[in-house]
Amino acid sequence: QVQLVESGGDLVQTGGSLRLSCAASGSIFKINSMGWYRQGPGKQRELVATITSGGNRNYVDSVKGRFTIFRDYGKNTVYLQMNRLSPEDTAVYYCNADVLSFSATHSRDYWGQGTQVTVSS
């Protein structure tokens, strides 16, 4: 199977920065898209950013210009650089990957366990 392990969540002040990391491991033949989602208190989980195997990026409007998603393809790792953080960014951030395993005939989604980001005002 495939495991996603996130790290980098922390408590930070408004205007600060954090970098989240998510490393995929296991029976990986190919990783298609990777991305970050978040779920704030009392809110539904929302897409934050995605990046395809070809490097195409997509962001939710609220983070454009502040967050950057990038991948290290050799390490099967995706990062989320978050700048100019605000309290509205407080959430549990989840890593997602669309992975084709060696034993599978089609790809499927995998999720990390989540990492907490808290932005104080």
Side-chain angles (χ1 to χ4, degrees), residues 28-49:
I28 298 171
F29 177 72
K30 179 184 178 184
I31 299 178
N32 297 315
S33 64
M34 299 187 80
W36 291 93
Y37 290 71
R38 67 186 179 185
Q39 187 165 14
K43 298 180 180 179
Q44 292 186 333
R45 188 176 297 190
E46 67 170 350
L47 170 69
V48 177

Side-chain angles (χ1 to χ4, degrees), residues 6-28:
E6 300 126 330
S7 61
D10 206 344
L11 171 64
V12 64
Q13 291 186 335
T14 295
S17 298
L18 282 176
R19 178 177 292 185
L20 305 182
S21 301
C22 171
S25 62
S27 180
I28 298 171

Side-chain angles (χ1 to χ4, degrees), residues 79-121:
Y79 303 89
L80 185 67
Q81 177 66 41
M82 304 185 293
N83 298 328
R84 305 202 313 272
L85 285 161
S86 72
E88 289 69 35
D89 297 314
T90 294
V92 178
Y93 284 71
Y94 296 92
C95 176
N96 169 269
D98 179 34
V99 180
L100 176 62
S101 301
F102 282 107
S103 60
T105 57
H106 56 275
S107 65
R108 55 155 285 190
D109 275 344
Y110 291 87
W111 292 89
Q113 79 286 355
T115 186
Q116 177 70 47
V117 172
T118 302
V119 185
S120 63
S121 57

